[in-house]
Amino acid sequence: MIAQLRVSRIAPAAMNPQWNGQFSCFDLVVKTSKCSRSVVRVRDIEIGGNDFIVMAGPCAVESERQLLQTAEAVAEAGARILRGGAYKPRSSPYSFQGLGVAGLKILRKAREATGLAIVTEVMCKEDVDLIADYADIMQVGTRSMENYSLLEALGPCGRPVLLKRGMTATLEDLLRSAQVIAMAGNPEIILCERGIRTFETATRNTLDIAAVPLLKTVSHLPVIVDPSHAAGVACLVPVLARAAAVVGADGLLVEVHPHPEQALSDGEQSLTFREFRDMMDDLQPYLALREEARQLRPQLLAAGGAN
Ligand code: PEP
Ligand code: MN
């Protein structure tokens, strides 16, 4: 039984001296004696606090019906934030590119109907003000992680930024981009591990699970995991979500669609409502373990961690 697992056997990640040298130049985002943990607040939601925050919804906003149905289903299952792209960076220029402003308006309706906060992607600096008008969190996608003019434009936008790791980016690259946003005046940053390109082709990307404890050790920023883009297939999403919970992630970003087989983008990796509910139920014992670990944290730190 999972409930019988003893948290006290889990050793904390200790600070590797190499990381100090590697990351210390990113002074606004690395842990210091003054700032060991930052919490990003979105309305009444705390990301990086004690709760495990699930952000869920379709890859792309396709219609009012699709988004409202999904918003209601994910809210009922325990998600706190609704995801959905209105502007979509796609692997093929012939693929659906998103509904644009019409999609943003649908997101706003879903927020009014369900009370969920909204996270949606911004692809270029020219769209920052427009999207900040509709979004509670500005998502920077994997393809934009090193778009420095976009990162700088997010400095004064007044909204937290969800920064996804570039698919070929090292953790140093990711923290450099976070530092650029912080230097531009926005300290409200959430890091997201979403899988990286490796020689493996059986999954869409390779979930770098070690990135989570490493980032939590060197940085004070919240870290969430996107198991959907990492896996590329729905059947692996729940188990990767569990892994994220037990390695100390602060939450998840998960794709959910009323009819994944009809989705205009990323249907293969999208969960049905039922699958999402089951995933949320199955996460419960792992979240209890996470909570136990959190409460034991002072002893764990004393046992050897310098994080
Ligand atoms: C997304 O979240 O829909 C998305 C496009 O993700 P990524 O940038 O990680 O590919
Ligand atoms: Mn997607």
Side-chain angles (χ1 to χ4, degrees):
M1 282 285 291
I2 184 82
Q4 288 164 355
L5 284 176
R6 290 301 317 266
V7 162
S8 55
R9 289 195 215 124
I10 301 172
M15 178 69 97
N16 179 335
Q18 183 200 324
W19 299 340
N20 254 328
Q22 194 174 357
F23 301 118
S24 56
C25 57
F26 307 131
D27 61 317
L28 299 178
V29 298
V30 292
K31 255 182 205 179
T32 61
S33 52
K34 282 201 203 105
C35 182
S36 64
R37 181 188 205 196
S38 54
V39 174
V40 172
R41 290 186 176 80
V42 180
R43 309 217 247 135
D44 64 333
I45 306 164
E46 291 191 344
I47 304 150
N50 297 337
D51 294 341
F52 188 75
I53 303 297
V54 177
M55 313 181 185
C59 178
V61 179
E62 298 170 5
S63 69
E64 189 169 318
R65 184 178 155 82
Q66 169 243 20
L67 193 74
L68 287 175
Q69 278 184 350
T70 310
E72 274 161 24
V74 300
E76 202 175 308
R80 307 287 309 278
I81 299 176
L82 177 66
R83 61 146 293 144
Y87 295 85
K88 295 301 303 173
R90 302 303 309 284
S91 304
S92 161
Y94 298 107
S95 301
F96 176 59
Q97 306 291 314
L99 295 180
V101 179
L104 294 175
K105 290 187 173 152
I106 296 173
L107 283 163
R108 178 176 278 171
K109 263 198 180 159
R111 174 174 49 198
E112 282 160 9
T114 59
L116 291 170
I118 301 295
V119 57
T120 194
E121 179 157 356
V122 55
M123 287 170 55
C124 61
K125 66 177 192 308
E126 291 76 17
D127 289 346
V128 167
D129 290 344
L130 171 72
I131 294 178
D133 244 14
Y134 290 86
D136 296 292
I137 304 176
M138 312 285 276
Q139 176 173 325
V140 174
T142 195
R143 294 163 186 81
S144 304
M145 190 206 82
E146 289 187 322
N147 178 345
Y148 288 116
S149 57
L150 170 62
L151 302 181
E152 279 163 11
L154 289 165
C157 78
R159 297 273 181 265
V161 176
L162 173 58
L163 179 64
K164 298 189 86 173
R165 181 180 182 179
M167 62 183 89
T168 58
T170 63
L171 296 177
E172 193 177 328
D173 298 332
L174 175 64
L175 289 175
R176 183 180 304 107
S177 291
Q179 172 84 9
V180 171
I181 299 169
M183 281 179 72
N186 191 348
E188 308 275 294
I189 303 162
I190 305 155
L191 302 173
C192 179
E193 162 60 35
R194 49 78 72 202
I196 50 174
R197 282 233 165 120
T198 66
F199 52 81
E200 182 56 73
T201 53
T203 47
R204 183 174 180 185
N205 291 286
T206 298
L207 181 63
D208 180 7
I209 200 74
V212 179
L214 195 157
L215 289 169
K216 295 289 297 181
T217 301
V218 302
S219 170
H220 58 78
L221 298 175
V223 179
I224 68 163
V225 167
D226 171 350
S228 307
H229 290 85
V233 286
C235 62
L236 286 178
V237 170
V239 70
L240 297 186
R242 271 180 234 153
V246 296
V247 295
D250 294 298
L252 298 172
L253 182 70
V254 182
E255 288 186 339
V256 179
H257 194 283
H259 304 287
E261 70 291 351
Q262 294 167 19
L264 296 181
S265 62
D266 287 349
E268 331 72 62
Q269 67 197 34
S270 298
L271 302 181
T272 61
F273 296 168
R274 170 89 201 250
E275 288 167 341
F276 181 69
R277 259 197 328 267
D278 289 347
M279 183 196 87
M280 294 294 275
D281 288 347
D282 292 345
L283 271 177
Q284 290 315 310
Y286 298 89
L287 294 179
L289 195 62
R290 177 183 177 277
E291 176 59 17
E292 199 185 331
R294 195 185 63 72
Q295 286 179 13
L296 284 175
R297 201 167 177 77
Q299 292 94 305
L300 289 173
L301 291 180
N307 51 339

